Amino acid sequence: MDSFRKLSLISALFHTLIILLIIPVTSQPQPQPQACESYRFPNSTIFLACNDLPVLDSSLHWTYHSSSNSIDVAFKKNNANHKRWIAWAINPTSTGMVGSQAFVAFQKSDGTMAAYTSPITSYGTTLEEGSLSFEVHEVSASFEDGTMILYASFQLPGNPKLVNHVWQEGLVSDDDSRLSHALSGDNFKSFGRVDFLTGKVSDRDPHKQNSKILLRKVHGILNGIGWGILMPTGAIMGRYLKQLEAIGSTWFHLHRACQILAYIIGTIGFALGIFLSGPSLSSLSPYGFVHASIGIAVFVSATVQVLAAIFLRPDKHHKARIFWNIFHYVVGYGVIFLSVFNMFRGFSLSKSYHSWKNAYFGVIVSLGCVALILEAITWLFFCKRRNKKGMNLKETSADDNIPPQEIV
């Protein structure tokens, strides 16, 4: 086995190792039933979906009515205290506290339950009662056996698949005034997003978000270097350097090394992308789904190219060599085209990568200009060699008194 096939085999084995490493990470077991699903509400009230919230020992239950875009919600606080208030809110305009449209409940000093709405206009709010920015049909609350439940029915503003929500608890004074909640610990983490259609609830922990942002950047950098820059650079080497007879087979070694390095770096970037996308592509947005699908197509095509180079590449004098060349060119240039196209789709997924998009555009334009110049030079040398060969052929034919067409 020659050195090219050995290096290709090493690359393929490396790819297999990466896949084996990411399968345990990305594959998740079947979701276990949540505690909220076993709870039975008073008066046999039934909600079609629920989710245990990550902090403050709470859960959210709801029934979404698609025909009217309205929703019935129950926010349940376990281990509740009669000297504390609870609140659940949605924020139609942002992800934080200010701008939230809140539903509040607490037990008054006389033992009755208070339930009302309160728009949050500042961080110093005392949860004054007021109308919300959307229509509210009903608000009520109950407190029994250490469980406080806040019920609300309202007209859902906007898209039910992307709702920012906040939940909180705080102290109630002896005169029934609501005191500010804690500004650290779980009270600082009690916000996220809920999808009322699929039932998916995601937390918005800043540390987790920062980790994902960092991984997303590394994913983009590795894919940009591997698939987006080194891969087309290796193709340029393979097409144009071999025209230089003085360097012999050096062009092939450079082409091979560049493509193998591109494949290894791109494989790591692809593995990070699979990790970031989660166990199912169906959870991605339509734009993200297309980006991920193209990425998979690029990786599979490049892997087929590597495996074909190991097991199917015939000798250059073999009669089937022409079919290998066609396959190699079609798959190779297809991978490059899809890689560059998908890089720009990846940049478009986040507006914060606009400067990266411009920089990569400059790199691709530069590589394109280099390729055009080398293409022109290649054709120039090709035409000169063909003319020189034709002149030599005519001279030989004239010396031997043999017509050129008979020599051919």
Side-chain angles (χ1 to χ4, degrees):
M1 182 179 291
D2 60 21
S3 58
F4 171 74
R5 298 197 176 193
K6 290 180 180 179
L7 289 173
S8 299
L9 180 59
I10 293 173
S11 178
L13 292 175
F14 178 82
H15 138 256
T16 304
L17 177 61
I18 289 294
I19 295 300
L20 291 176
L21 289 175
I22 66 173
I23 285 177
V25 176
T26 57
S27 59
Q28 296 182 359
Q30 293 296 322
Q32 298 298 318
Q34 301 190 75
C36 65
E37 296 176 359
S38 62
Y39 184 78
R40 298 294 178 263
F41 285 89
N43 301 323
S44 301
T45 304
I46 297 177
F47 294 92
L48 299 182
C50 75
N51 211 296
D52 293 316
L53 300 177
V55 294
L56 299 182
D57 198 9
S58 306
S59 61
L60 185 66
H61 308 249
W62 70 88
T63 298
Y64 173 66
H65 307 284
S66 58
S67 58
S68 59
N69 197 37
S70 61
I71 191 164
D72 301 324
V73 170
F75 172 70
K76 182 169 71 74
K77 174 67 176 72
N78 302 316
N79 300 314
N81 190 302
H82 71 282
K83 298 297 292 182
R84 302 184 75 86
W85 56 263
I86 64 171
W88 178 80
I90 64 173
N91 194 329
T93 58
S94 63
T95 59
M97 174 179 172
V98 176
S100 296
Q101 308 294 299
F103 301 91
V104 186
F106 67 96
Q107 187 178 52
K108 295 182 179 180
S109 54
D110 60 6
T112 60
M113 292 297 297
Y116 62 94
T117 59
S118 176
I120 310 300
T121 58
S122 68
Y123 289 104
T125 181
T126 56
L127 298 176
E128 301 89 350
E129 185 172 354
S131 300
L132 303 186
S133 61
F134 46 82
E135 182 181 356
V136 177
H137 306 305
E138 184 180 357
V139 184
S140 60
S142 66
F143 184 30
E144 185 178 353
D145 297 330
T147 301
M148 189 177 295
I149 305 175
L150 171 62
Y151 300 93
S153 298
F154 57 94
Q155 201 70 31
L156 189 63
N159 184 1
K161 287 185 64 62
L162 187 62
V163 179
N164 302 308
H165 74 136
V166 184
W167 63 100
Q168 278 295 350
E169 65 172 350
L171 293 174
V172 178
S173 66
D174 294 335
D175 62 353
D176 294 338
S177 297
R178 277 72 66 201
L179 306 179
S180 298
H181 62 79
L183 299 177
S184 60
D186 288 345
N187 294 86
F188 188 68
K189 303 175 183 177
S190 56
F191 61 101
R193 286 179 175 173
V194 58
D195 184 339
F196 287 125
L197 290 181
T198 64
K200 182 179 179 181
V201 173
S202 60
D203 64 68
R204 304 288 289 176
D205 188 332
H207 299 292
K208 292 182 179 179
Q209 293 299 315
N210 290 338
S211 298
K212 287 185 177 180
I213 291 173
L214 177 60
L215 288 177
R216 193 174 292 114
K217 288 182 178 179
V218 174
H219 160 73
I221 291 172
L222 292 178
N223 282 337
I225 294 175
W227 306 117
I229 296 177
L230 288 178
M231 193 67 72
T233 300
I236 290 174
M237 291 180 178
R239 176 167 177 77
Y240 302 113
L241 291 184
K242 67 180 178 181
Q243 306 300 328
L244 303 178
E245 298 178 355
I247 66 174
S249 63
T250 302
W251 70 268
F252 177 72
H253 300 298
L254 291 175
H255 167 71
R256 176 186 59 192
C258 189
Q259 299 302 68
I260 290 177
L261 183 61
Y263 180 77
I264 292 175
I265 295 175
T267 296
I268 300 174
F270 171 79
L272 282 177
I274 292 296
F275 173 77
L276 290 170
S277 66
S280 174
L281 295 183
S282 61
S283 62
L284 299 175
S285 65
Y287 209 92
F289 176 82
V290 174
H291 176 68
S293 300
I294 296 176
I296 292 173
V298 168
F299 176 74
V300 170
S301 299
T303 302
V304 169
Q305 183 89 297
V306 171
L307 295 177
I310 298 174
F311 300 109
L312 300 178
R313 185 171 69 94
D315 184 82
K316 63 180 179 179
H317 300 298
H318 195 281
K319 61 181 181 179
R321 180 71 178 200
I322 185 173
F323 300 106
W324 158 260
N325 289 338
I326 293 174
F327 167 82
H328 187 64
Y329 294 149
V330 170
V331 175
Y333 286 119
V335 167
I336 292 172
F337 173 80
L338 288 177
S339 299
V340 173
F341 177 75
N342 210 31
M343 284 297 300
F344 286 104
R345 290 193 69 90
F347 292 135
S348 299
L349 287 173
S350 177
K351 295 181 180 179
S352 61
Y353 297 148
H354 185 69
S355 58
W356 290 28
K357 180 179 180 180
N358 292 338
Y360 181 69
F361 179 77
V363 171
I364 289 300
V365 170
S366 299
L367 288 176
C369 291
V370 170
L372 286 175
I373 294 172
L374 292 176
E375 186 72 20
I377 295 174
T378 298
W379 276 101
L380 180 62
F381 278 114
F382 173 76
C383 292
K384 285 185 175 180
R385 284 200 300 267
R386 186 176 64 177
N387 292 336
K388 183 178 180 180
K389 183 178 180 181
M391 292 177 63
N392 292 337
L393 185 60
K394 289 181 180 180
E395 291 175 358
T396 303
S397 301
D399 291 340
D400 297 338
N401 294 318
I402 302 175
Q405 61 270 23
E406 294 185 13
I407 294 181
V408 176

